[in-house]
Amino acid sequence: MKLRKVQDYFSLAGRALAFIFARPFYMQDLIQQMDEIGVKSLGIVLLTGFFTGMVLALQSSVSLARFGATMYIGSLVSASMIRELGPVLAGLMVAGRVGSGIAAQLGSMRVTEQIDALNTLGTDPIKKLVTPRVLAALIMLPVLTVINDFVGILGGNVISTVMVGIPSGLYWRTVWDQIGTDGFALRVIPTDFIQGITKPFVFGGIIAITGCYFGLNTTGGTEGVGQSTTRTVVMSSILILVVDYFLSQILLSVFAP
Amino acid sequence: MTDEKNRRGEGRRISERNADHVRAAIRDELAKDESIDAAHAPDAGTPVDAAPVIELQNVFLAFDTPILEDVSFVANKGETICIVGESGTGKSTTLKLILRLLIPEKGRVCIAGKDITPLSFVEALGVRQKMGMVFQGAALFDSMSVFENVAYPLREHTDLDEGEIEQRVREKLQFVDLDPDRVMEQLPSELSGGMRKRVGIARGMANNPEIMLYDEPTSGLDPLTTGTITRLIMKLQHELNVTSMVVSHDIRSVFRMATRVAVLHDRRIEFFGTPEEMAASDDTYLRDFLGGN
Ligand SMILES: Nc1ncnc2c1ncn2[C@@H]1O[C@H](COP(=O)(O)OP(=O)(O)OP(=O)(O)O)[C@@H](O)[C@H]1O
Ligand SMILES: [Mg+2]
């Protein structure tokens, strides 16, 4: 029973991804979803990123002061943001905002027979509804993450300058040094960036597919829609944190210095 | 259990007393409608001569419990088959089998002589293009305007240009007695229940399908709108020779439009025949069913 569901989940993912390259392309749906998933999530990502950077700087300044190393705040903040907190926080925020929205929308389409109507009118609901959402999430989550990283480091900059007294120039120099120290892939791409971009790409897929899976499999009327949204947020948050660990391990071993 | 039986028995006794009234009323009804619907009256010969368009052969289906067992019936070209039965007996499910939204566990579902059960998902999409479906709750896409809803099957399956699409949408909306200029830009949530149903019919027939399926097209509507929609279904059948299958609880309109009636009861087809045969039947369940209406 459980195994069957896992199988369904992956078969949904597989079909949604395969349809990315098949006609007809629902361009308008894609653009609308990119707006919904990306542009409209910008606010919460900016806010959470900024405060996370600030608190990182604040906490690390205390620990670093013990070793007389407060000038390295920049490298600590940027390493944590780019490798871990940026992707994971953006993922969790978008899972809460967008994943639940996807599940609610597809769930109510399911219980009001609109999914059956799509099928009847000769449209594959996976192609029309799931693929644009998955593709939009795959594109937009890395973008959101880069923005999240940037405002996080900026937040760290504010705290380290105002409260710790590190000049901005020094802060940014340590940030750049940190990004460079782990080496470059293909000579130009910092390996930190590869980690920081691979993760949100995977998280985007997890969020969209989980939302679509629970939405499309909604049963039991409007009450069922509520359950689907809750399940989506819980399941995608868990998946993000678990997958994050294993991805880190893999990426670290691949790009071991 | 015994309580249940008692209540049934009681219902039966009462309905037996009423049975003659009921049959007389139905005969009256038929006589009255004959004059109104003379133009629409289905040819007596059609059902027998014409080729079978929809055919269910010994279909079995179960979800958690068995829903349909050994269900068979045929709809010939140009026929209007009405499916009646108590709530939850599997009427909507039967329509979904015909659309191949569901696949039977056993048995065959044939459309135009071709078994559709073994088709792949993509092939099934093709078969569905021949059919129009009006869902129980209309199932209009609530993110799209009325115009976009009716235009949807045209955009998906035809290469009509924008002007032709608009013309076709207007024509279909007029066919269902809606004023195109008033409703086209509205969202489904801004329409009344009866208007939504009519937009649902317009969308179902936009592609000029050969088969129309209606799931309770008149439930929850006032008698006048019910009459309008019943006439619409008959008009469609008469003017375009569409084969129709109508799930309905409204016995009056069933008797008006059906060439044959299928009664679903206890997972089986309890009765399949013309309305006249149904009215004349001595079957106790049928009399119960008609008497209770
Ligand atoms: N997707 C499903 N999963 C599980 N059970 C279902 C599903 N769809 C329908 N059923 C069950 O199948 C039975 C028949 O449902 P169906 O919708 O066909 O009834 P109906 O005859 O159309 O009733 P109504 O007149 O109330 O619309 C019901 O008991 C319902 O609970
Ligand atoms: Mg039903």
Side-chain angles (χ1 to χ4, degrees):
Chain A
M1 194 65 195
K2 278 277 190 316
L3 199 66
R4 181 67 203 270
K5 285 181 181 165
V6 176
Q7 199 182 337
D8 285 351
Y9 182 93
F10 281 105
S11 109
L12 177 68
R15 284 173 61 196
L17 293 174
F19 277 135
I20 292 176
F21 307 103
R23 284 173 187 284
F25 304 112
Y26 292 103
M27 224 30 188
Q28 237 178 337
D29 293 276
L30 177 64
I31 292 168
Q32 195 193 336
Q33 289 308 319
M34 284 172 69
D35 180 51
E36 190 61 46
I37 294 172
V39 180
K40 291 191 179 150
S41 300
L42 204 56
I44 53 168
V45 164
L46 287 175
L47 202 67
T48 50
F50 195 70
F51 276 93
T52 309
M54 292 208 301
V55 81
L56 262 179
L58 197 62
Q59 293 282 15
S60 49
S61 73
V62 178
S63 319
L64 289 174
R66 228 178 289 151
F67 309 107
T70 41
M71 59 173 287
Y72 292 116
I73 286 184
S75 44
L76 218 146
V77 170
S78 67
S80 323
M81 277 315 287
I82 294 173
R83 287 185 200 163
E84 281 302 333
L85 289 171
V88 170
L89 277 176
L92 292 177
M93 295 316 288
V94 173
R97 207 196 78 85
V98 175
S100 59
I102 291 176
Q105 198 191 4
L106 297 202
S108 56
M109 286 184 80
R110 163 61 77 198
V111 300
T112 57
E113 295 184 304
Q114 289 179 56
I115 304 280
D116 285 337
L118 271 179
N119 250 323
T120 306
L121 295 173
T123 303
D124 189 333
I126 295 183
K127 185 157 180 38
K128 168 93 178 159
L129 299 173
V130 180
T131 298
R133 283 168 174 77
V134 171
L135 191 54
L138 290 180
I139 296 169
M140 294 316 275
L141 219 67
V143 175
L144 286 172
T145 300
V146 170
I147 295 170
N148 197 16
D149 294 347
F150 180 73
V151 293
I153 295 171
L154 204 65
N157 183 10
V158 170
I159 292 300
S160 61
T161 311
V162 175
M163 314 241 325
V164 190
I166 310 259
S168 265
L170 178 60
Y171 178 85
W172 285 101
R173 203 165 332 120
T174 55
V175 168
W176 287 124
D177 283 350
Q178 171 60 37
I179 293 174
T181 46
D182 283 346
F184 296 83
L186 305 171
R187 288 169 186 274
V188 285
I189 314 163
T191 50
D192 270 4
F193 271 24
I194 294 183
Q195 268 204 59
I197 294 294
T198 312
K199 285 178 177 176
F201 190 73
V202 175
F203 296 165
I206 289 176
I207 293 166
I209 290 167
T210 308
C212 292
Y213 175 79
F214 284 113
L216 288 178
N217 288 300
T218 301
T219 52
T222 39
E223 201 179 320
V225 176
Q227 282 176 1
S228 294
T229 49
T230 313
R231 281 190 193 142
T232 299
V233 176
V234 172
M235 184 53 93
S236 46
S237 304
I238 293 174
L239 281 177
I240 284 174
L241 293 171
V242 172
V243 169
D244 181 54
Y245 171 79
F246 288 105
L247 262 184
S248 300
Q249 188 134 62
I250 293 168
L251 289 168
L252 282 176
S253 69
V254 170
F255 296 111
Chain B
M1 194 63 215
T2 44
D3 253 19
E4 170 91 336
K5 255 189 200 146
N6 278 343
R7 241 182 293 127
R8 280 234 177 155
E10 217 167 281
R12 207 153 278 171
R13 243 174 290 130
I14 293 169
S15 68
E16 251 157 62
R17 235 182 294 136
N18 287 340
D20 289 336
H21 293 293
V22 173
R23 272 189 254 173
I26 289 171
R27 262 197 302 276
D28 282 356
E29 193 68 53
L30 286 171
K32 199 165 44 172
D33 281 341
E34 246 159 50
S35 53
I36 308 168
D37 302 325
H40 293 313
D43 294 335
T46 338
V48 202
D49 307 335
V53 174
I54 304 168
E55 202 172 354
L56 266 72
Q57 299 173 349
N58 314 100
V59 166
F60 287 74
L61 184 91
F63 288 116
D64 305 327
T65 56
I67 306 291
L68 298 174
E69 283 178 0
D70 201 15
V71 166
S72 307
F73 62 82
V74 183
N76 292 326
K77 177 109 190 95
E79 262 199 290
T80 301
I81 305 280
C82 287
I83 306 179
V84 299
E86 292 161 65
S87 189
T89 44
K91 303 183 296 299
S92 302
T93 304
T94 306
L95 292 188
K96 286 179 186 168
L97 278 168
I98 296 168
L99 286 163
R100 206 188 168 282
L101 295 174
L102 295 171
I103 302 168
E105 255 132 58
K106 267 198 280 178
R108 281 151 48 99
V109 180
C110 299
I111 302 297
K114 198 165 154 249
D115 188 2
I116 58 166
T117 39
L119 293 189
S120 73
F121 188 82
V122 179
E123 290 168 324
L125 288 178
V127 173
R128 290 188 200 119
Q129 286 178 35
K130 285 197 279 195
M131 306 189 222
M133 167 84 177
V134 180
F135 284 89
Q136 197 160 346
L140 301 178
F141 302 127
D142 42 28
S143 56
M144 299 180 195
S145 68
V146 168
F147 176 83
E148 286 303 328
N149 262 286
V150 181
Y152 190 89
L154 302 173
R155 291 199 201 287
E156 275 303 270
H157 301 302
T158 65
D159 32 22
L160 299 178
D161 64 41
E162 219 32 51
E164 288 167 320
I165 288 180
E166 177 166 350
Q167 195 190 340
R168 182 84 77 90
V169 171
R170 283 178 177 278
E171 178 193 314
K172 298 299 175 193
L173 287 174
Q174 269 156 1
F175 192 92
V176 296
D177 283 341
L178 287 172
D179 178 5
D181 293 310
R182 253 194 61 205
V183 297
M184 261 187 349
E185 295 313 317
Q186 285 185 301
L187 287 173
S189 55
E190 300 167 331
L191 303 176
S192 73
M195 287 163 93
R196 264 204 292 276
K197 290 235 157 119
R198 277 184 277 172
V199 174
I201 296 176
R203 183 180 69 181
M205 58 184 272
N207 223 355
N208 297 332
E210 297 156 35
I211 298 169
M212 281 295 289
L213 308 170
Y214 306 84
D215 197 349
E216 303 194 14
T218 59
S219 65
L221 299 180
D222 65 276
L224 279 179
T225 317
T226 300
T228 314
I229 289 184
T230 308
R231 260 192 312 276
L232 263 175
I233 296 174
M234 293 165 69
K235 189 161 103 182
L236 205 59
Q237 186 237 356
H238 183 72
E239 288 179 9
L240 305 169
N241 201 26
V242 171
T243 311
S244 319
M245 194 151 282
V246 188
V247 170
S248 182
H249 286 307
D250 183 29
I251 291 298
R252 204 191 123 124
S253 43
V254 165
F255 273 83
R256 274 180 74 183
M257 62 191 163
T259 51
R260 284 190 282 181
V261 184
V263 181
L264 264 182
H265 174 57
D266 237 358
R267 306 188 285 278
R268 288 165 193 282
I269 299 272
E270 178 84 13
F271 169 86
F272 184 58
T274 63
E276 289 80 0
E277 284 167 1
M278 186 176 173
S281 166
D282 281 329
D283 187 282
T284 38
Y285 178 75
L286 274 192
R287 280 198 284 166
D288 244 4
F289 192 81
L290 294 175
N293 194 273

